Amino acid sequence: MDNQSRRYPYGYGQPGGIAESAPTHSSHLPPPPPQNTQPLPSKEIYQYDAPWPLYALDWCKVPNERKGFRMAIGSLIEESNNKLQVIARTDTLEGANVYPNQPTPDFTVVAEADVYYPTTRVLWEPWRSETWRADLLATTGDILRIWELVDHPRYGTTSNSINSSSGRNSPPYYMQQLVKKAELANTKQTDFCAPLTSFDWNETDPSLIVTSSIDTTCTVWNVETNQAKTQLIAHDSDVYDVAFMHGSPDIFASVGADGSVRLFDLRSLEHSTILYEAAPNTSAGTNHSSSTGGRSNGNMVNSSTSPLLRLQFNRINPNMLATFHMDSSSVLVLDIRYPSTPMAELVKSHQGSINGISWSPNQAGQLCTGGDDGQVLVWDINNGGGGSASGGGPDQHNSHHSRQQQYYQQQRYSQHTPRSIQDPILAYSAGSEVSSLAWSKGVPDWIGIGFGRTVQALRV
């Protein structure tokens, strides 16, 4: 498998429109059990070894260690027999099967589902504190799927089926099961559904999901009505990632093979803003800044530019976002108020290509990166002075200091040179190439990483 295919495992599209939704089980669920308030023992690293290579990973969003210490993971298998699993820290489970005279595993698989193609991304539904709700997850691959995690009625029993390869009974049922709630495919223009590269779930309005595709489009879905709200041509070539601005139900950005970051507003889709565009004929790992930027009615593509693979908005200061180029060992940090030029570049610490980024949920300047060199690095973009990522967030300073910072910030942008940040504040070496990582919002002291067949939760 080539380098780009390894990062973005695509299946083939399927004909057909929006499938009928499976009946929801939320109305039949019992009320939530009383919370156990006893503190949990803890260590620095928890590990799960999967039976297959990993690609997708995300944390449950519940802000509670007993419920929030769960992850959804997706396999990367070239054959068409991929898996989606939900794992939970074993000591947070009540009623889990613990075998005597055997060491207790750090994680226990609580649910598993079959998926045909590799999952390009998995996300848990954003946390809604006002009511108790069933757990929902979403995945992309060939199409967008919504899953509901419910208790398995036959947990503790074994299947009556016989495994043909071994002649032995199938293993016991898991504690829970992933029920397919909806399958969403936008096939208005053609019977072919182009593979989806990524998606994001709006935290301000959790009824909205936006997907990105190799057919140049982004589609906004209402997952409560299972209808496409709008579809737009975002780039002139493959769109590799898309993300909503935190705190906004309308604004999202995308990146793709044309090497640009584009900003969209659902209230005004006739225009897009080019936040950043890579300069032509540049090699990965160098400064890709371009002096173009602003409003655009069309998309100009330079075929020699280096693709941008991922992006994520800062979770505290929505004006900041991070992205990186394919085969690059550096990360670009952009301020959407100042298009064209990155405000900072994280450089020289990774010795291989970066594969994932994730902002801290509670520290505005902290960002985690993982790459082919097996390193997981935590950066503070405020280190070394020269600007703050917290402007506009809850930690802004007094007005005089803010005006002074804004002045220096404007001076820096006018020079068209991103501030170079070379020293991370934390470093961890995994066993092999880091394919995925996610900084937990529910339990913010933990970062989840995937490498090879291994998932680790790292305390930070």
Side-chain angles (χ1 to χ4, degrees), residues 216 233-239 255-262 274 276-281 292 296 298-308:
T216 77
I233 297 176
H235 297 254
D236 275 1
S237 52
D238 301 6
V239 188
V255 294
D258 59 7
S260 69
V261 181
R262 296 173 186 265
I274 302 175
Y276 165 83
E277 197 164 30
N281 301 318
T292 61
S296 172
N299 297 317
M300 299 298 293
V301 172
N302 190 315
S303 60
S304 63
T305 57
S306 177
L308 290 167

Side-chain angles (χ1 to χ4, degrees), residues 180-257:
K180 201 177 295 179
K181 195 168 183 283
E183 293 185 322
L184 309 178
N186 195 350
T187 55
K188 292 180 180 179
Q189 306 298 326
T190 174
D191 288 339
F192 177 78
C193 179
L196 302 178
T197 55
S198 188
F199 76 100
D200 196 23
W201 208 325
N202 194 296
E203 294 188 355
T204 304
D205 182 359
S207 70
L208 299 180
I209 281 179
V210 59
T211 61
S212 57
S213 172
I214 64 170
D215 68 358
T216 77
T217 68
C218 290
T219 304
V220 179
W221 292 92
N222 185 316
V223 294
E224 293 182 353
T225 63
N226 295 337
Q227 298 294 321
K229 185 173 181 179
T230 188
Q231 184 179 61
L232 56 95
I233 297 176
H235 297 254
D236 275 1
S237 52
D238 301 6
V239 188
Y240 288 150
D241 200 9
V242 64
F244 280 109
M245 174 190 285
H246 287 282
S248 170
D250 304 302
I251 299 174
F252 64 93
S254 62
V255 294

Side-chain angles (χ1 to χ4, degrees), residues 88 94 97 127-128 142 200 353 366 421:
E94 295 181 4
N97 288 326
W127 170 245
R128 304 191 198 186
D142 52 338
D200 196 23
S353 300
Q366 292 187 8
I421 302 174

Side-chain angles (χ1 to χ4, degrees), residues 391-405:
D395 299 323
Q396 57 185 332
H397 305 291
N398 62 66
S399 58
H400 172 74
H401 188 61
S402 297
R403 287 195 300 271
Q404 189 179 42
Q405 275 195 326

Side-chain angles (χ1 to χ4, degrees), residues 92-286:
T92 68
L93 298 173
E94 295 181 4
N97 288 326
V98 178
Y99 299 98
N101 303 321
Q102 293 185 17
T104 301
D106 289 346
F107 284 98
T108 295
V109 179
V110 296
E112 182 179 276
D114 295 324
V115 290
Y116 197 69
Y117 297 110
T119 298
T120 55
R121 193 167 194 199
V122 59
L123 287 177
W124 294 72
E125 181 187 29
W127 170 245
R128 304 191 198 186
S129 59
E130 68 275 8
T131 56
W132 181 79
R133 299 170 56 87
D135 289 311
L136 295 181
L137 298 92
T139 59
T140 47
D142 52 338
I143 59 176
L144 173 65
R145 290 181 175 86
I146 309 298
W147 306 81
E148 187 171 6
L149 184 64
V150 299
D151 290 340
H152 202 302
R154 299 183 65 182
Y155 171 60
T157 66
T158 57
S159 170
N160 293 326
S161 64
I162 301 295
N163 188 313
S164 58
S165 61
S166 64
R168 291 180 290 185
N169 286 331
S170 297
Y173 289 102
Y174 293 112
M175 296 179 69
Q176 295 184 294
Q177 58 183 340
L178 286 159
V179 177
K180 201 177 295 179
K181 195 168 183 283
E183 293 185 322
L184 309 178
N186 195 350
T187 55
K188 292 180 180 179
Q189 306 298 326
T190 174
D191 288 339
F192 177 78
C193 179
L196 302 178
T197 55
S198 188
F199 76 100
D200 196 23
W201 208 325
N202 194 296
E203 294 188 355
T204 304
D205 182 359
S207 70
L208 299 180
I209 281 179
V210 59
T211 61
S212 57
S213 172
I214 64 170
D215 68 358
T216 77
T217 68
C218 290
T219 304
V220 179
W221 292 92
N222 185 316
V223 294
E224 293 182 353
T225 63
N226 295 337
Q227 298 294 321
K229 185 173 181 179
T230 188
Q231 184 179 61
L232 56 95
I233 297 176
H235 297 254
D236 275 1
S237 52
D238 301 6
V239 188
Y240 288 150
D241 200 9
V242 64
F244 280 109
M245 174 190 285
H246 287 282
S248 170
D250 304 302
I251 299 174
F252 64 93
S254 62
V255 294
D258 59 7
S260 69
V261 181
R262 296 173 186 265
L263 191 73
F264 301 90
D265 192 325
L266 291 175
R267 298 162 296 186
S268 179
L269 288 175
E270 63 271 15
H271 297 291
S272 67
T273 301
I274 302 175
L275 296 178
Y276 165 83
E277 197 164 30
N281 301 318
T282 57
S283 60
T286 60

Side-chain angles (χ1 to χ4, degrees), residues 54-108:
L54 296 153
Y55 184 74
L57 179 153
D58 189 44
W59 287 89
C60 175
K61 304 299 191 298
V62 178
N64 174 297
E65 191 170 11
R66 291 187 179 275
K67 291 291 186 182
F69 217 108
R70 294 179 292 169
M71 281 188 268
I73 56 175
S75 67
L76 177 53
I77 303 172
E78 293 189 25
E79 296 80 12
S80 303
N81 58 345
N82 282 270
K83 300 290 184 180
L84 174 66
Q85 281 188 348
V86 174
I87 60 174
R89 211 174 93 188
T90 304
D91 59 10
T92 68
L93 298 173
E94 295 181 4
N97 288 326
V98 178
Y99 299 98
N101 303 321
Q102 293 185 17
T104 301
D106 289 346
F107 284 98
T108 295

